[in-house]
Amino acid sequence: MKKRHRIFLVIGVIALLLGGCSAQKNNEITKVLVGTDGDTRPYTYYDENKQLTGYDIAVVKALDDLLPQYQFEFEVTEFSSIFAGIDSGRYQMGANNISKNEERERKYLYGDQYYLYNNAVIVTNKNRTDIHSLQDLAGKTTPVKPSGSFMQAFMETYNEAHPDGQIAYFYSDQDNLKTYQDIMNGSVDFLLSEEIIIDTMMDEYNLDLQIIPLEHEETIQVMKPEGYFIFPKTSEGEKLKSEVDQAILTLIDNGTLSELSKEYLGRDYVANIDTSATEQTTDNGMANLFDLKLVFTQIPKILAYLPTTLLITVVSAAISFILGFIIAVVKHKKIPVLTQFFNFYVSFMRGTPILVQLYLTFYGIPILLQYINYYQGTTYSTTSIPPVLFVIIAFAFNEAAYSSESIRAGLEAVDKGEQEAALSMGMSPMQTFFRITLPEALVIALPALGNSLVGLIKGTSLAFTCAVVDITAAGKIMASRNYRYFEGYISVALIYWAMTIIISWLLKKLEKKLKADEQEVKEDAESMSLEKEI
């Protein structure tokens, strides 16, 4: 009997465990990683306490309270990377006031219910009287971010439809605050913006600008005024979307969305929301996830911007070699004052990111000139200087710091005995330096200089931060039109890879040539030494 009781007891315990596991499985909470850029005030940004906040963030948190079966977490990334993250399956949801368009809808699943309705405005200098509507923008200049924004789509479409009255836009990754400052000082003419964003920035930064609101008919020409969350085109994405849609309706009905709008956007933008949204048809997006053909068909288009990349590389490399050579000689000879100054220069350049140096050059020089103009009564301006010049300056000065150390190491590695032998044969110090020391130093330094050159080529991919369109920027611009960022970045990677292979091959050829020349110089020196002995 005792044995039978033990068997029943074991069976009972197993049943309880299985039941507990089943209950745990039924109550399992699904993690939802939400991609957002954390840099689009007032939708998503960091507050003074370095906490992620904003209207979109608050709405997702309200959804989290309504949907206990999900746990929503945020990851901050670049705006374009939100879409790449959805593609790769890293993000189960994107939250960044994302508007609809046909390209996006073919690839991503939009919620049926939007949670925001916005309006478009034209931002201009407060003293302008020649801009009142979209028809007045022909011939006017404005920067455009190639991030798949509504402004990029509008500009490209508008210019195609108005070949005789095009808007003079240019691509730039600069932030909107810099653009507003450019509008105030007359560098650019206008910017198309969302009413919510410009109202927030006007209050925060005390901008002295003119805001021209557009009627609904013009607003829908410029942008889709609705803001949506996006999801992957999968069965899991469809399930999450449906539950989020219902939760948004609840937030609208109970007034939560209106309160959040007042708190984060300044007033109630929810009143214009239409809750009778139509359903979308959903299909599995896996077959359309990656387009291998596109990787190769867009390479020729990207290569059209190769001359810009090569210009930056060649000119920066030439300047940096000359400057680096001067610094290396000064430090090798230990010239007082100059050595200490160049030590500080090299330490700063090698100790700070090149991206920061680009910003300091591109934004710092204009600020410095403003101070000079104010205190000296001059009228210097950088508006007529091509942005590529700022980029070349930044890269040249950065690369010079690395080149100088490579050349100095080469100079110090040259055998002192060879230099003394050359001097003893009657060569002057100058002849010894250029015929013996420098060739050997360059042979020694060439591998390090070659690595720096390869690094410089790849570093030019940051030029777009200063409104220079190189091959990386071209790839990003093309990807922002069809949201094929992964394919675009692979195309760019292949181009850079090919460039570095070619450069490495040329450097090996140069190294062989320098070694041959060095051997010839040594043989000449030995011949002169023998003649002198005879």
Side-chain angles (χ1 to χ4, degrees):
M1 287 294 291
K2 288 184 178 180
K3 187 175 181 181
R4 186 179 299 175
H5 285 312
R6 287 175 184 169
I7 292 173
F8 283 132
L9 181 61
V10 170
I11 293 173
V13 170
I14 292 173
L16 286 172
L17 289 174
L18 290 175
C21 291
S22 177
Q24 185 178 2
K25 186 174 181 181
N26 291 334
N27 294 324
E28 184 179 355
I29 297 176
T30 302
K31 178 181 173 182
V32 177
L33 190 58
V34 183
T36 185
D37 72 2
D39 192 33
T40 311
R41 187 182 292 266
Y43 307 121
T44 166
Y45 63 97
Y46 284 95
D47 61 18
E48 59 276 6
N49 297 318
K50 295 182 172 53
Q51 297 297 312
L52 186 64
T53 186
Y55 179 72
D56 284 50
I57 306 303
V59 173
V60 173
K61 288 180 178 179
L63 294 173
D64 193 35
D65 293 336
L66 284 177
L67 301 172
Q69 66 272 36
Y70 294 107
Q71 178 184 344
F72 292 84
E73 297 180 3
F74 299 97
E75 182 169 278
V76 175
T77 186
E78 188 182 38
F79 180 77
S80 60
S81 296
I82 296 174
F83 301 95
I86 295 284
D87 289 340
S88 66
R90 178 170 182 80
Y91 303 138
Q92 292 75 52
M93 180 173 166
N96 222 99
N97 185 33
I98 299 171
S99 59
K100 276 187 182 182
N101 64 37
E102 293 182 4
E103 291 284 354
R104 286 178 182 170
E105 284 191 275
R106 277 197 287 267
K107 200 173 183 194
Y108 307 104
L109 183 62
Y110 276 77
D112 294 336
Q113 183 58 56
Y114 57 93
Y115 61 95
L116 179 69
Y117 188 93
N118 206 346
N119 291 296
V121 297
I122 302 174
V123 184
T124 67
N125 188 289
K126 67 172 184 176
N127 297 319
R128 294 196 76 128
T129 59
D130 58 334
I131 297 178
H132 304 283
S133 66
L134 296 180
Q135 286 68 37
D136 300 322
L137 300 182
K140 306 299 190 300
T141 59
T142 184
V144 172
K145 282 188 176 183
S147 56
S149 64
F150 72 86
M151 191 170 176
Q152 178 188 358
F154 169 74
M155 292 297 171
E156 294 173 353
T157 304
Y158 184 91
N159 279 0
E160 285 181 10
H162 300 82
D164 298 326
Q166 295 190 343
I167 299 172
Y169 70 88
F170 59 94
Y171 292 109
S172 173
D173 247 353
Q174 69 183 37
D175 58 65
N176 285 343
L177 180 59
K178 172 66 167 60
T179 301
Y180 295 139
Q181 293 170 340
D182 290 343
I183 290 173
M184 286 191 290
N185 64 35
S187 302
V188 297
D189 296 318
F190 75 96
L191 182 72
L192 286 173
S193 179
E194 299 174 28
E195 181 182 10
I196 293 172
I197 288 182
I198 186 59
D199 283 350
T200 302
M201 297 197 74
M202 290 280 284
D203 293 338
E204 182 175 0
Y205 297 103
N206 195 26
L207 300 175
D208 195 10
L209 297 164
Q210 178 183 187
I211 309 300
I212 303 170
L214 297 179
E215 298 294 334
H216 176 73
E217 291 73 17
E218 287 192 311
T219 289
I220 60 178
Q221 290 181 48
V222 173
M223 69 179 198
K224 298 286 187 181
E226 302 89 0
Y228 292 89
F229 298 122
I230 64 168
F231 311 87
K233 277 195 172 183
T234 61
S235 57
E236 293 82 3
E238 171 65 27
K239 182 177 183 294
L240 176 60
K241 183 216 73 155
S242 299
E243 296 182 71
V244 167
D245 282 338
Q246 291 302 314
I248 291 176
L249 289 173
T250 300
L251 294 176
I252 294 173
D253 291 339
N254 64 21
T256 301
L257 219 56
S258 292
E259 292 303 316
L260 293 177
S261 178
K262 292 173 185 176
E263 180 180 354
Y264 290 96
L265 308 181
R267 62 185 176 88
D268 188 359
Y269 284 92
V270 179
N272 293 329
I273 290 181
D274 180 10
T275 56
S276 60
T278 57
E279 292 189 2
Q280 303 177 34
T281 57
T282 305
D283 58 359
N284 192 321
M286 186 60 69
N288 198 34
L289 193 58
F290 178 73
D291 187 349
L292 179 61
K293 181 181 177 182
L294 186 63
V295 171
F296 299 99
T297 57
Q298 64 187 3
I299 285 179
K301 299 175 184 177
I302 297 174
L303 284 174
Y305 296 87
L306 180 60
T308 302
T309 297
L310 293 178
L311 172 67
I312 297 170
T313 302
V314 172
V315 178
S316 298
I319 296 173
S320 68
F321 180 79
I322 296 171
L323 181 57
F325 176 75
I326 294 171
I327 295 172
V329 171
V330 167
K331 294 179 72 174
H332 179 64
K333 298 295 185 182
K334 296 181 173 57
I335 300 175
V337 181
L338 286 178
T339 297
Q340 286 72 27
F341 172 77
F342 284 134
N343 281 337
F344 169 79
Y345 166 82
V346 170
S347 175
F348 179 81
M349 287 297 175
R350 296 177 68 184
T352 55
I354 180 59
L355 182 60
V356 173
Q357 294 170 26
L358 280 166
Y359 283 137
L360 291 176
T361 305
F362 189 59
Y363 298 122
I365 292 177
I367 292 174
L368 178 63
L369 288 180
Q370 288 183 38
Y371 276 102
I372 293 174
N373 290 340
Y374 180 80
Y375 289 106
Q376 302 297 325
T378 53
T379 57
Y380 298 120
S381 174
T382 59
T383 55
S384 59
I385 299 177
V388 70
L389 185 58
F390 292 104
V391 173
I392 288 173
I393 291 172
F395 277 115
F397 277 77
N398 173 269
E399 191 65 21
Y402 291 90
S403 299
S404 67
E405 290 300 287
S406 299
I407 297 171
R408 182 179 66 84
L411 290 172
E412 294 180 354
V414 175
D415 186 1
K416 295 281 194 295
E418 292 184 23
Q419 300 175 57
E420 292 170 358
L423 291 171
S424 67
M425 289 186 297
M427 285 189 184
S428 67
M430 189 70 71
Q431 288 176 320
T432 300
F433 181 79
F434 282 103
R435 295 189 63 182
I436 302 296
T437 307
L438 185 58
E440 287 195 37
L442 288 178
V443 171
I444 296 169
L446 190 59
L449 291 174
N451 290 334
S452 294
L453 180 60
V454 171
L456 174 61
I457 292 172
K458 293 184 288 187
T460 59
S461 60
L462 297 173
F464 196 35
T465 58
C466 299
V468 175
V469 181
D470 66 329
I471 56 177
T472 303
K476 186 175 182 179
I477 291 168
M478 293 175 190
S480 65
R481 292 169 182 160
N482 53 25
Y483 302 96
R484 294 287 181 179
Y485 288 100
F486 189 57
E487 291 89 333
Y489 291 141
I490 290 179
S491 301
V492 171
L494 291 174
I495 293 173
Y496 276 112
W497 187 25
M499 289 172 61
T500 54
I501 289 173
I502 293 171
I503 292 295
S504 299
W505 179 78
L506 291 174
L507 287 171
K508 286 181 180 178
K509 291 288 185 183
L510 179 60
E511 186 175 359
K512 287 182 180 179
K513 178 70 166 60
L514 288 175
K515 284 182 177 179
D517 291 345
E518 179 191 8
Q519 184 62 33
E520 186 177 338
V521 168
K522 286 182 177 180
E523 290 175 357
D524 289 344
E526 290 174 0
S527 176
M528 290 175 61
S529 178
L530 289 172
E531 289 177 1
K532 189 173 182 180
E533 290 176 3
I534 293 173

